[in-house]
Amino acid sequence: MREVYRTTRQVAPSRACVLIVGETGTGKELIARAIHDLSPRSTGPYIRVNCGALTESLLESELFGHVKGSFTGAVDNRTGRFEAAHTGSIFLDEVNSTSPKLQVKLLRVLQEGEFERVGDNNTKKVDTRIVAATNRDLLDEIDVGRFREDLYYRLNVVPIYLPPLRERRDDVELLVNFFLKRYAEQNKRDMRRVHPEAMRRLREHDWPGNVRELQNYVERAVILGDGAELTVEHLPPQLRGETTPRPIRHRGTSSADFTVLTSELVRQGIRAAGPNANDLHDRVVGQVERELIQQVLQTCDRVQIKAAARLGINRNTLHKKLSEYRIDENAPAAGPPNGDGEDGHDGGRTGDAPHPYDE
């Protein structure tokens, strides 16, 4: 987060476009507002547009304005958000939601600083600093054809990545105390401290909704709780262990996402096993290994020799794993030889009789 703050301060005085990337609830709009407030444009307007909240036609009119009669319901000329943000900043939240047609117009504004209102032929010039945000990996969106590559590179002059709260658990206590003080003052309550057990549970929660979720929980505790201390009883059921925590849904497919996903899988496995479990290896590693073998067998058409090569283990080891995890014990025998076996007899499919040289 110190790196986020440093980058924010460095980029604010410039004219460069900024692309803020992060999950929902990580504070992307707060960073966008800070960029504006710390810039020479701070005396100008700050305009926010949620691109995911409007249809394509409405969003185009919202961003660029329209002239009277340009479409049904256009009873008067209207100034768009880009015009309204002249000499200031415009924040395009969920920019990944824009259509290909709209992305072309955004690209032109970025490159030339000009556009036309909907239904108008007159070109307008605008001096607006653009800050965009997305909760998706735009490179993945480019790969599937939903986002223009040239627009991505125009927006991504200075990228700022906001890490999810589960990756910065040391911030939880600071945030809890900050929100506790704020909402206690707003609601005229005496709750000003947190019980150690309640703080421990807050720290260990994975926070799928990130800082916004934590903020809501603290506000709820202050409003519905009583006394001077926030206790476990003031927390929602999922933090008290009474309901299953909601899993975190990942947007991207990068190696960094896979690392985080692995960390969360292990953490949830440990939590589900309970504090007294002494079979964590079987519970976590065993389940993952069994699932891996099953999926690889499926992608290899259940040919064991292919699956073993794909897994990077020998066939003897694969046979033992199949027996250990009771995978496909009752699967039908393989059909005619297909040339995959080492002697032309064993096709190496799950459910076959063991090869005489395997043991």
Side-chain angles (χ1 to χ4, degrees):
M1 290 305 296
R2 291 193 182 98
E3 177 65 20
V4 170
Y5 305 146
R6 185 186 66 81
T7 305
T8 300
R9 286 191 295 267
Q10 284 185 319
V11 73
S14 72
R15 297 174 56 89
C17 290
V18 179
L19 180 63
I20 307 171
V21 182
E23 295 178 8
T24 298
T26 50
K28 297 186 290 295
E29 187 173 356
L30 288 174
I31 296 299
R33 183 73 205 211
I35 291 172
H36 173 76
D37 289 344
L38 295 171
S39 74
R41 297 171 177 265
S42 59
T43 56
Y46 172 78
I47 305 296
R48 178 188 180 278
V49 183
N50 187 335
C51 300
L54 300 170
T55 63
E56 177 184 349
S57 57
L58 289 175
L59 182 58
E60 184 178 10
S61 173
E62 189 75 15
L63 288 174
F64 303 110
H66 62 255
V67 296
K68 181 179 179 180
S70 57
F71 55 85
T72 302
V75 296
D76 207 346
N77 292 341
R78 179 177 179 178
T79 299
R81 297 296 185 93
F82 271 100
E83 279 185 84
H86 182 63
T87 71
S89 307
I90 186 168
F91 174 50
L92 303 177
D93 198 6
E94 296 188 35
V95 70
N96 51 281
S97 302
T98 54
S99 67
K101 175 186 173 183
L102 203 55
Q103 289 172 28
V104 173
K105 297 194 73 169
L106 287 175
L107 183 63
R108 184 183 175 199
V109 175
L110 282 164
Q111 290 178 327
E112 311 295 338
E114 60 185 32
F115 64 93
E116 289 87 31
R117 289 179 176 179
V118 177
D120 194 6
N121 293 324
N122 295 322
T123 299
K124 292 186 174 292
K125 283 280 188 179
V126 68
D127 175 20
T128 303
R129 204 266 185 82
I130 296 178
V131 180
T134 175
N135 58 10
R136 294 181 181 269
D137 187 334
L138 291 186
L139 291 176
D140 289 343
E141 298 296 293
I142 291 169
D143 289 341
V144 297
R146 288 194 292 257
F147 203 82
R148 292 180 62 97
E149 188 172 10
D150 48 3
L151 178 58
Y152 168 74
Y153 288 115
R154 281 288 180 177
L155 290 172
N156 196 43
V157 177
V158 179
I160 296 179
Y161 169 69
L162 282 177
L165 187 54
R166 63 185 174 276
E167 291 182 10
R168 48 188 183 101
R169 294 176 186 272
D170 287 345
D171 289 355
V172 170
E173 184 171 351
L174 295 170
L175 290 166
V176 168
N177 289 327
F178 173 80
F179 291 129
L180 188 63
K181 180 180 178 182
R182 169 192 282 183
Y183 292 120
E185 291 176 351
Q186 286 182 2
N187 296 281
K188 296 180 171 57
R189 297 298 180 94
D190 295 327
M191 190 178 289
R192 299 301 174 97
R193 63 179 185 271
V194 184
H195 188 276
E197 177 60 18
M199 185 63 77
R200 182 187 70 80
R201 298 193 183 207
L202 289 165
R203 276 178 172 272
E204 292 181 356
H205 187 53
D206 281 335
W207 300 110
N210 292 291
V211 179
R212 186 179 295 127
E213 183 184 14
L214 180 146
Q215 179 179 356
N216 292 342
Y217 284 176
V218 174
E219 183 177 15
R220 183 189 311 166
V222 171
I223 293 172
L224 300 180
D226 51 11
E229 187 173 61
L230 191 158
T231 66
V232 173
E233 287 68 30
H234 297 135
L235 300 177
Q238 55 267 39
L239 269 73
R240 298 198 303 265
E242 297 175 7
T243 61
T244 304
R246 179 166 63 90
I248 295 166
R249 293 172 292 182
H250 287 270
R251 300 289 188 180
T253 55
S254 67
S255 59
D257 291 324
F258 181 75
T259 300
V260 173
L261 187 60
T262 303
S263 175
E264 289 166 5
L265 174 65
V266 172
R267 187 182 304 115
Q268 292 191 18
I270 293 173
R271 180 185 294 132
N276 299 320
N278 57 6
D279 58 347
L280 290 175
H281 188 277
D282 288 341
R283 281 177 177 266
V284 180
V285 179
Q287 287 191 39
V288 172
E289 186 175 44
R290 187 180 195 279
E291 182 65 25
L292 174 63
I293 291 172
Q294 286 182 313
Q295 291 196 25
V296 172
L297 278 169
Q298 186 175 357
T299 60
C300 294
D301 298 323
R302 316 209 74 77
V303 179
Q304 290 182 16
I305 193 169
K306 289 182 179 179
R310 187 87 170 87
L311 290 163
I313 60 178
N314 60 47
R315 284 187 57 199
N316 288 344
T317 302
L318 179 57
H319 275 304
K320 291 175 182 176
K321 295 293 183 183
L322 294 176
S323 176
E324 177 185 351
Y325 294 125
R326 301 181 181 276
I327 297 174
D328 285 349
E329 284 188 331
N330 300 317
N338 59 7
D340 289 317
E342 294 170 342
D343 60 358
H345 171 70
D346 180 13
R349 296 178 183 270
T350 55
D352 289 351
H355 194 282
Y357 297 103
D358 282 342
E359 299 300 330

